[in-house]
Amino acid sequence: GFLDKVELALLQQVRSKSIAFFHETNRFGQLKEWIAGLVEEVQRVRKLLSFVQQKSVVAWELIPLLDKQRQDLMELSILMESATDVIECKASISGLLSAQDDLGASQQIQHGRSLLKQVQNLAALSSAEDQFSQYETLVVANLGEELVEALLDWKSFGKSPRLVQMVKGLTLCNALDKVSRLYSNRSLDVIRMTVRTTVGEFADEADSSVKTCVTGMTFETFMDCLDMLFEQLLEILKGAVGVQGFGKEEGVHLDSVQPAAELSSKSISELMRLRKEAHSLVTLEEMKKLWDVCLGFTTELERLSDYKATGLRSTLLAQAKAFVERQHESSMSSLVAALDSERWTQCDVSAERQAALTRLCSGRAVTSRVGSTSSSAASSSSAEASDKKPDAEVEGIRYKVVWSSLLLVEMIMTNIGCAAHFQSLATNVVGKVAELLRLFNSRSTSLVLGAGAINSAARLKSINAKHLSLVTQCLGMTISILPHVRAALMAQLPTKQHTLLSELDKIKKEYAEHNEKVLTKFVTIIGGIVEHGLAPRIASCDFDSRIGKENCCVFLDGVSTNTRKMHQVLRSLLPPDHLQDVFSRILAYLDGKLPALFDVAAGQKNSKGGVFAYPKTDDGKRQMLREMERTTESLNGLPGVRPWEFQAIRVLERKLDLTLVEEPKAAPVEVAVAEEPSSAPVPVAAPADDNSEQEQQQQQQ
């Protein structure tokens, strides 16, 4: 059974492989045919080669070797030609350099290097690359130096064919970036040298350091130095801008504008910093000139270079701020000194100061005066004196002012000028103006109302009505110009900063309160005279014994006399509206005080033991009422005074239980008061019958 299985398996294998076997058998037969054909072909080729060998002079095996030799010879010929070209190129470079044809030399160098790459394995030309490098270094040095000199003197050279050739030559040598850096560094060196030499030219000692030279210059010399320096630096920058434009046209980078502008800005900032202290002490006109010149240079520098000269602007602003601070300190001390030495006498107002007030009130506070030239400055002092006026005029109202008040106005105008010219400092200036106004107000209050002028440098003997009237005039003028000062400062402030001006509104109220106190002080002076100087005389008044007399009693006559003296002083110093205001207060005070003093005196003994008593007889009562009536008519007849409806007579009529029958009288006659010279002080005091001179001065104070 096992053999049967084996046999069946073999049959199965034969059955499955028989087709492939027959296929392979067919292929093997075909292969035998191909091999037979190739054998025949080889035999044919051998016969052909044998025939060729019999007919040829050279053995056929040498043909490939000869072809290889031919190719090598061709390559060697090309190599020798290239080596010859390299040698010829190298030889031509020296000739081109001698002829100063640097562009041609650079082209030959690049051409020689391209040829050298083809023969780089030749040992004989191994030093050629070093020689080309040496030639290139020489060409770059020559072209670079010439190009830098041409670029630095751009104004003279400008764009020329030679300049284009130099740029092309350096571009071929890949050295343009190096030369550009050299040009930039050389430009900075030129700026440094320009600053140093220019400063040295204007210095007293040329061998001194820059710091010593700058700090030792006068302001005029320094401004001349800056003018020349700005001119030269701007020329350098304009040349750099021209070079930059040329580089853009040629497609190369030749930019030194930004570094040159930065160095110029820093150099000027440093010179300004060295003179920081000196510039804080200059005048306003000098500071304006410095500001304008430096700001003009800064603007032109930024326009040319697109570089923001923040350093120079910061330095200029810091120096302007220091100037404003120093000027304010000086103004404060000067105003204090002027007030302490103020004798509170009227001073004349020059045409220049009046013109400044007029400009301020017309909205032209920062407008330059027309005709302020050297010819006007050379006018004689006598002509200037003839232009002076006794009063200051503001909006058609005339004010009699003192020197310290005019000085305050001048300081305010100076600060407004600073705010207009240095607008970045306008917010600071508002505070300075407020401090000056408050100083004048507080100090004048202390000196006049507080009688501080008696112990100040002025050493006044007393404070009288004339001093008070001048104070109220000065306050009135200041109050009238405050709205114009506010408007002038508002024009220089940004909208967000307008709230700062509320300080001026507060100051205006403070001045009005001070003025009110001064006006009240006139009433106090009269009150002191009446109550302390004249009231003791009431005891000597016996109206029963004065029946039929036309003159008034000593008390009422003293009231009338002292009031007229007060009117005489104030009429020459106060404007009409202030005069009416003051005397309305005085007459109102007298209207209520005179009857009250009679009541107080009744039943009281005076220093001599006398006692006042109201008249007993009807005629005596009429005499008292008539004298009171004459007194009130005399007071109402003062020129420029608004008549007051006196109730004192009605009060006395009720007290005396008698009505005064009005008799027909002629029209009231004004009491003529002789004007005294304004230069002579007119104290307001009671007659020296019962009081000593010292007591009168205390009453005046």
Side-chain angles (χ1 to χ4, degrees):
F2 176 75
L3 293 176
D4 292 339
K5 292 180 180 180
V6 172
E7 184 177 0
L8 289 173
L10 289 173
L11 288 174
Q12 186 66 30
Q13 289 292 327
V14 170
R15 187 182 299 112
S16 61
K17 301 295 184 179
S18 60
I19 297 175
F21 175 77
F22 288 120
H23 282 300
E24 291 297 328
T25 302
N26 292 336
R27 290 178 182 175
F28 184 74
Q30 187 178 6
L31 182 60
K32 287 176 65 176
E33 291 177 2
W34 286 351
I35 291 172
L38 289 174
V39 170
E40 291 176 358
E41 185 68 22
V42 169
Q43 290 175 354
R44 187 182 67 79
V45 171
R46 282 181 177 177
K47 289 179 182 180
L48 180 59
L49 289 175
S50 176
F51 177 75
V52 171
Q53 187 175 8
Q54 290 175 2
K55 297 297 184 180
S56 300
V57 178
V58 182
W60 61 271
E61 296 88 350
L62 298 178
I63 292 176
L65 297 176
L66 293 175
D67 184 64
K68 182 65 170 63
Q69 289 178 359
R70 183 178 61 81
Q71 293 179 359
D72 291 343
L73 288 174
M74 290 178 64
E75 291 178 0
L76 181 61
S77 175
I78 294 172
L79 188 64
M80 292 302 294
E81 289 179 0
S82 298
T84 302
D85 291 341
V86 170
I87 294 171
E88 290 177 354
C89 181
K90 186 171 62 174
S92 65
I93 292 174
S94 59
L96 292 171
L97 290 175
S98 300
Q100 296 183 350
D101 187 3
D102 296 307
L103 177 60
S106 61
Q107 291 174 344
Q108 288 298 317
I109 290 171
Q110 300 305 317
H111 179 61
R113 281 180 170 169
S114 63
L115 293 175
L116 190 60
K117 291 179 181 178
Q118 302 174 9
V119 294
Q120 57 185 352
N121 295 328
L122 288 179
L125 298 177
S126 59
S127 62
E129 179 62 29
D130 295 336
Q131 293 175 348
F132 283 135
S133 297
Q134 293 175 2
Y135 282 133
E136 186 180 57
T137 302
L138 183 59
V139 169
V140 169
N142 293 338
L143 285 179
E145 191 65 29
E146 186 178 355
L147 179 62
V148 168
E149 292 296 330
L151 295 180
L152 290 177
D153 195 9
W154 178 260
K155 184 177 180 180
S156 301
F157 285 89
K159 183 179 179 180
S160 60
R162 176 59 181 167
L163 201 63
V164 176
Q165 291 179 357
M166 288 188 286
V167 171
K168 290 182 178 179
L170 290 170
T171 304
L172 289 174
C173 296
N174 295 322
L176 193 59
D177 291 339
K178 179 181 177 181
V179 174
S180 177
R181 289 192 296 271
L182 177 63
Y183 162 65
S184 180
N185 294 334
R186 194 75 65 82
S187 298
L188 300 183
D189 292 339
V190 170
I191 292 174
R192 294 187 186 96
M193 183 60 65
T194 300
V195 173
R196 191 177 298 111
T197 54
T198 304
V199 171
E201 288 179 5
F202 286 89
D204 295 333
E205 299 179 4
D207 297 334
S208 303
S209 63
V210 173
K211 179 179 180 180
T212 304
C213 295
V214 171
T215 54
M217 292 181 186
T218 62
F219 179 80
E220 292 76 11
T221 304
F222 182 70
M223 289 304 300
D224 293 340
C225 178
L226 280 185
D227 289 339
M228 180 177 290
L229 195 55
F230 289 163
E231 181 181 355
Q232 295 180 356
L233 292 178
L234 289 177
E235 284 297 328
I236 294 174
L237 287 174
K238 290 177 182 177
V241 172
V243 171
Q244 185 183 35
F246 168 72
K248 289 180 179 179
E249 292 178 3
E250 298 298 323
V252 296
H253 181 74
L254 291 172
D255 186 9
S256 67
V257 178
Q258 288 277 342
E262 183 178 0
L263 180 59
S264 299
S265 173
K266 289 182 178 179
S267 300
I268 300 301
S269 298
E270 182 63 20
L271 294 180
M272 297 281 289
R273 186 188 65 81
L274 293 175
R275 289 185 56 85
K276 179 179 179 180
E277 290 298 324
H279 287 165
S280 65
L281 300 173
V282 299
T283 64
L284 176 60
E285 294 302 321
E286 290 174 339
M287 193 63 202
K288 286 181 179 179
K289 182 179 180 182
L290 178 66
W291 176 276
D292 291 339
V293 170
C294 293
L295 197 60
F297 169 75
T298 305
T299 304
E300 184 67 13
L301 180 143
E302 292 176 343
R303 185 187 68 81
L304 290 173
S305 63
D306 293 333
Y307 168 76
K308 298 300 180 183
T310 54
L312 180 54
R313 287 183 179 273
S314 299
T315 302
L316 190 59
L317 183 61
Q319 297 210 356
K321 186 175 182 180
F323 164 77
V324 171
E325 292 292 339
R326 182 69 65 89
Q327 184 187 52
H328 180 63
E329 293 175 3
S330 176
S331 297
M332 293 287 282
S333 59
S334 298
L335 187 57
V336 169
L339 286 168
D340 286 345
S341 60
E342 183 64 73
R343 299 191 61 83
W344 298 100
T345 56
Q346 182 183 355
C347 70
D348 293 335
V349 181
S350 65
E352 182 180 2
R353 294 182 186 277
Q354 182 57 56
L357 283 171
T358 304
R359 291 198 309 274
L360 176 62
C361 297
S362 59
R364 297 178 291 111
V366 297
T367 305
S368 300
R369 288 179 295 116
V370 179
S372 58
T373 59
S374 58
S375 60
S376 63
S379 59
S380 63
S381 59
S382 60
E384 292 178 357
S386 64
D387 291 339
K388 291 183 178 181
K389 297 180 180 179
D391 303 330
E393 184 176 345
V394 177
E395 296 180 331
I397 302 176
R398 295 184 176 276
Y399 297 92
K400 294 177 173 58
V401 293
V402 297
W403 163 247
S404 55
S405 179
L406 293 177
L407 183 62
L408 173 66
V409 174
E410 179 184 348
M411 292 174 177
I412 292 174
M413 293 294 292
T414 300
N415 278 280
I416 293 175
C418 289
H421 215 80
F422 319 124
Q423 292 191 349
S424 302
L425 302 176
T427 54
N428 295 0
V429 171
V430 174
K432 310 302 181 191
V433 172
E435 289 181 17
L436 287 170
L437 289 168
R438 282 202 166 99
L439 174 63
F440 181 85
N441 190 37
S442 61
R443 194 68 181 167
S444 59
T445 302
S446 173
L447 290 171
V448 180
L449 288 180
I454 296 176
N455 299 318
S456 68
R459 296 294 179 185
L460 297 181
K461 293 182 179 181
S462 63
I463 304 298
N464 55 37
K466 184 176 183 180
H467 300 147
L468 292 171
S469 61
L470 285 172
V471 170
T472 190
Q473 288 276 279
C474 295
L475 294 176
M477 185 189 71
T478 307
I479 291 173
S480 65
I481 67 171
L482 270 178
H484 304 289
V485 173
R486 190 183 193 279
L489 291 174
M490 181 183 289
Q492 313 306 328
L493 288 172
T495 306
K496 295 181 179 179
Q497 302 293 336
H498 286 178
T499 54
L500 295 174
L501 298 173
S502 60
E503 283 298 310
L504 297 182
D505 299 332
K506 295 178 182 178
I507 291 173
K508 187 176 181 180
K509 293 180 181 179
E510 294 171 4
Y511 269 71
E513 292 172 359
H514 184 188
N515 195 34
E516 180 69 19
K517 291 178 181 179
V518 175
L519 295 178
T520 306
K521 188 67 174 178
F522 292 116
V523 181
T524 305
I525 292 175
I526 289 293
I529 295 173
V530 171
E531 294 180 27
H532 300 92
L534 300 177
R537 302 181 183 182
I538 297 177
S540 62
C541 297
D542 184 2
F543 291 100
D544 287 329
S545 63
R546 291 182 51 80
I547 297 174
K549 293 185 178 180
E550 296 296 328
N551 61 322
C552 296
C553 68
V554 64
F555 169 68
L556 294 178
D557 183 64
V559 171
S560 178
T561 300
N562 283 276
T563 306
R564 286 199 304 272
K565 287 184 178 180
M566 173 76 79
H567 178 269
Q568 179 180 343
V569 174
L570 298 186
R571 186 187 180 193
S572 63
L573 296 174
L574 293 181
D577 55 340
H578 282 189
L579 184 67
Q580 290 183 1
D581 186 9
V582 170
F583 273 87
S584 293
R585 297 169 188 240
I586 292 175
L587 297 182
Y589 166 79
L590 294 176
D591 189 17
K593 198 66 178 178
L594 293 181
L597 289 175
F598 279 113
D599 282 341
V600 172
Q604 289 185 355
K605 294 183 179 181
N606 62 6
S607 59
K608 298 181 181 180
V611 178
F612 170 75
Y614 282 105
K616 304 297 183 180
T617 64
D618 290 345
D619 291 337
K621 294 177 181 180
R622 291 188 184 91
Q623 180 68 24
M624 183 178 182
L625 293 175
R626 288 193 184 97
E627 291 187 13
M628 178 62 74
E629 186 179 32
R630 293 191 196 102
T631 302
T632 57
E633 289 176 354
S634 173
L635 295 176
N636 278 335
L638 294 175
V641 175
R642 184 185 297 112
W644 182 261
E645 295 182 1
F646 280 93
Q647 300 299 317
I649 298 177
R650 309 283 85 82
V651 174
L652 289 177
E653 285 178 343
R654 289 192 295 269
K655 186 70 176 178
L656 298 174
D657 194 18
L658 179 68
T659 302
L660 181 64
V661 179
E662 296 185 1
E663 299 178 358
K665 297 182 287 292
V669 180
E670 292 188 350
V671 179
V673 180
E675 297 285 348
E676 294 188 8
S678 59
S679 59
V682 182
V684 177
D689 291 348
D690 299 322
N691 300 323
S692 64
E693 183 178 353
Q694 181 179 2
E695 187 178 359
Q696 292 176 31
Q697 292 180 0
Q698 293 175 355
Q699 295 168 9
Q700 294 168 16
Q701 296 170 14

